[in-house]
Amino acid sequence: MTKTLLFLSMFSSGLVFAQEDLLKDIDTVKTNTETSQPAFKALQIVTGQSTKLAAKKEWYMIVAHRFGDISAGFKDFFGLDNASTKLGAIYGISDAVSVSLSRETNMKTFEGAVKYRLVQQSENFPVDIVGYNVMGANTELDKDTYPHLKFSDRLSYLTQALISRRFNEKLSLQLTPSFVHKNLYEPTIENKNQFLAGLGGRYKISKRVSVNAEYFVNFDDHSFYKNPLSLGVDIETGGHVFQLLLTNSQINSDIGYLTNATGAWGKGHIFFGFNLYRVF
């Protein structure tokens, strides 16, 4: 696993210097000169979604890892022994609508999602507004634990409004009000319906590197879980966006990340990870 991670890091860094011309279109809008450049270059700020969408007929492949708690030190080789992997694909139906399907090893979760642009930032409107809807299925649940388990019990749902603004070439911010509904939940540690508000941003420090951060507040007043807080670095190369990150949630499915974070930054319970996108 260590060799794999080192290979991916070296591979992405090397491409930075070899594929300059392929980056020219990343920050541009194809036809409408009145619209602003995209607020984000990656489809995610860190783990949460950004207002960027796949372009029409584009395919994205996603590989995401979240390693174990680094506070265990050499015992678990700083978390590298306990990886959770997410594989997914995204397709742009049009420049304004995309669909995705992913599967994560943690809780054996499948998620299907649709992402759609409602308003685009322009000279006449100050922000981008994008809708994002997810249905997740937890296939790890079994009838030995839940004898009366039905398929509908495995399902959970997420609705988000992604509201971003590109302030200048370097700084972009996003507000993300969110609603989660779970068909199966444990009432002693969480509520069936959960409302969250997220704030995220990107600050460009060089032509191909930016630092990113995001934080979500869960207004579930008796939730056992922590508010997700994540920091990341984006490395842009031709055809790729490689994201290195630290987070307090090992789960990187959309719903699990928001509602099932267990780490505490103050105690060093942090998970290292990365997101790798390949566009076709």
Side-chain angles (χ1 to χ4, degrees):
M1 185 62 70
T2 306
K3 292 180 179 179
T4 301
L5 182 60
L6 289 173
F7 171 77
L8 288 170
S9 300
M10 294 172 64
F11 176 70
S12 297
S13 299
L15 284 173
V16 167
F17 302 98
Q19 303 187 45
E20 292 185 7
D21 291 340
L22 296 177
L23 294 170
K24 292 179 179 180
D25 295 331
I26 290 180
D27 264 346
T28 61
V29 176
K30 296 179 180 177
T31 56
N32 189 347
T33 57
E34 294 182 355
T35 58
S36 298
Q37 295 177 341
F40 298 94
K41 291 189 177 181
L43 300 174
Q44 295 171 267
I45 299 177
V46 184
T47 299
Q49 294 291 313
S50 76
T51 51
K52 179 177 174 63
L53 283 86
K56 184 177 180 179
K57 295 185 179 180
E58 275 188 346
W59 278 100
Y60 278 83
M61 182 186 72
I62 304 170
V63 180
H65 272 297
R66 300 293 183 270
F67 299 98
D69 187 346
I70 66 174
S71 67
F74 279 104
K75 179 181 179 181
D76 295 325
F77 205 64
F78 297 95
L80 296 183
D81 290 343
N82 302 309
S84 175
T85 303
K86 176 181 175 179
L87 299 175
I90 299 171
Y91 179 68
I93 297 174
S94 70
D95 288 336
V97 180
S98 63
V99 293
S100 63
L101 180 66
S102 64
R103 197 269 190 183
E104 184 187 9
T105 56
N106 202 321
M107 295 193 291
K108 297 179 173 63
T109 301
F110 287 87
E111 286 189 333
V114 58
K115 194 174 186 180
Y116 44 96
R117 180 179 293 113
L118 300 173
V119 183
Q120 191 167 5
Q121 182 178 339
S122 67
E123 295 177 355
N124 300 317
F125 200 80
V127 296
D128 281 326
I129 302 178
V130 171
Y132 187 62
N133 294 91
V134 180
M135 182 176 71
N138 182 344
T139 63
E140 190 175 56
L141 298 173
D142 60 72
K143 290 193 174 183
D144 291 337
T145 306
Y146 302 97
H148 303 291
L149 184 70
K150 299 178 293 185
F151 176 76
S152 61
D153 294 328
R154 300 180 183 277
L155 303 180
S156 53
Y157 305 89
L158 168 66
T159 298
Q160 291 184 308
L162 315 175
I163 307 167
S164 71
R165 177 171 174 80
R166 180 185 173 115
F167 289 91
N168 52 50
E169 183 182 352
K170 292 185 175 182
L171 177 64
S172 297
L173 295 177
Q174 179 175 301
L175 179 66
T176 309
S178 309
F179 172 72
V180 173
H181 171 85
K182 296 184 177 183
N183 285 347
L184 182 64
Y185 67 104
E186 175 51 61
T188 60
I189 61 174
E190 64 178 346
N191 286 322
K192 183 176 186 177
N193 297 316
Q194 300 180 38
F195 294 90
L196 305 95
L199 180 64
R202 166 183 178 265
Y203 188 81
K204 190 173 181 180
I205 59 175
S206 73
K207 186 176 181 180
R208 298 175 183 84
V209 178
S210 68
V211 291
N212 300 357
E214 65 188 18
Y215 179 67
F216 284 84
V217 176
N218 192 331
F219 297 104
D220 186 347
D221 56 3
H222 73 283
S223 175
F224 163 80
Y225 298 101
K226 310 295 185 183
N227 291 328
L229 170 63
S230 303
L231 305 176
V233 176
D234 283 6
I235 303 170
E236 304 153 19
T237 67
H240 302 263
V241 176
F242 188 59
Q243 298 179 301
L244 298 171
L245 59 96
L246 293 171
T247 178
N248 66 335
S249 175
Q250 189 181 29
I251 302 175
N252 63 69
S253 61
D254 288 299
I255 297 171
Y257 170 70
L258 293 175
T259 62
N260 295 99
T262 57
W265 277 83
K267 297 180 180 180
H269 297 161
I270 306 167
F271 306 93
F272 171 68
F274 67 83
N275 304 323
L276 176 62
Y277 291 88
R278 175 58 174 159
V279 62
F280 299 93

